[in-house]
Amino acid sequence: MILKKPTLDEVNNIDMSPQYGMYNFFPEIENGEINYLEKKAGKEHYKLLGWISNQYNHTTLCEIGTCDGMGLLALTLNKNNKVISYDIKDYKQKHKMPFNGERKICDTIFNFYDEIKECPIIFYDARHDGETELNFLNGLIDNEWKGVIFFDDIHFNDAMKSFWLKIELHKEDWSDIGHYTGTGVVFFK
């Protein structure tokens, strides 16, 4: 499947309400009653993740960097797909686990390329040090992975900006419909 960039309206019109029952608000932060699943594309990336989940049916999508589970929650919007989220430790789960979601612990060198070989989409939201992202990207190349990977926070810091500039594969900056700290898309053929 060829994934083409949607319009801002297409992304903002994604109905995230089926996920509300699993979402827990963040009272510990300022504006804790904000539903992050409803924040507009270009500010937060959750509506984009919901849009991505609706582009596929009966497949497995992957996330690298579970943390509190917000990305996992958004990616599981399409109940016909399974979403596996990997992280290096078991963070306290903030949100309820969707029936089509699964959390797995992995090591820091990502020894799970065989498991994700058939995943057409990967959402990467982990270390943000540039080197870890580059190592993961090179691992995908070495394992001849085919698909589309979304990198969160490509404009977050100098290390991530440098990482983004180093990528020689076909890439597009979708920050205007993703996350305000940057959403980069890399296409593997």
Side-chain angles (χ1 to χ4, degrees), residues 23-126:
Y23 178 80
N24 284 322
F25 287 94
F26 293 83
E28 66 274 12
I29 63 172
E30 183 181 353
N31 299 321
E33 294 302 311
I34 291 174
N35 183 341
Y36 281 82
L37 294 174
E38 282 302 317
K39 288 199 93 161
K40 297 290 184 193
K43 299 290 183 197
E44 289 292 341
H45 53 286
Y46 302 113
K47 283 190 170 263
L48 176 60
L49 296 178
W51 178 87
I52 292 165
S53 76
N54 284 332
Q55 303 311 298
Y56 294 87
N57 266 311
H58 308 291
T59 194
T60 300
L61 309 177
C62 294
E63 176 189 39
I64 311 301
T66 312
C67 197
D68 67 14
M70 280 292 297
L72 175 64
L73 189 58
L75 282 169
T76 57
L77 179 63
N78 182 344
K79 304 304 181 201
N80 293 318
N81 295 325
K82 179 177 181 176
V83 179
I84 301 173
S85 185
Y86 296 86
D87 214 323
I88 58 171
K89 72 178 196 175
D90 192 10
Y91 290 92
K92 181 180 179 185
Q93 188 170 323
K94 175 122 181 107
H95 310 284
K96 295 175 186 162
M97 177 63 71
F99 76 90
N100 60 328
E102 180 180 357
R103 294 167 64 126
K104 288 188 174 186
I105 303 299
C106 65
D107 57 32
T108 57
I109 55 173
F110 306 114
N111 281 323
F112 56 84
Y113 291 105
D114 285 343
E115 289 182 41
I116 64 172
K117 195 163 188 96
E118 301 303 316
C119 294
I121 291 289
I122 298 173
F123 173 62
Y124 188 103
D125 188 8

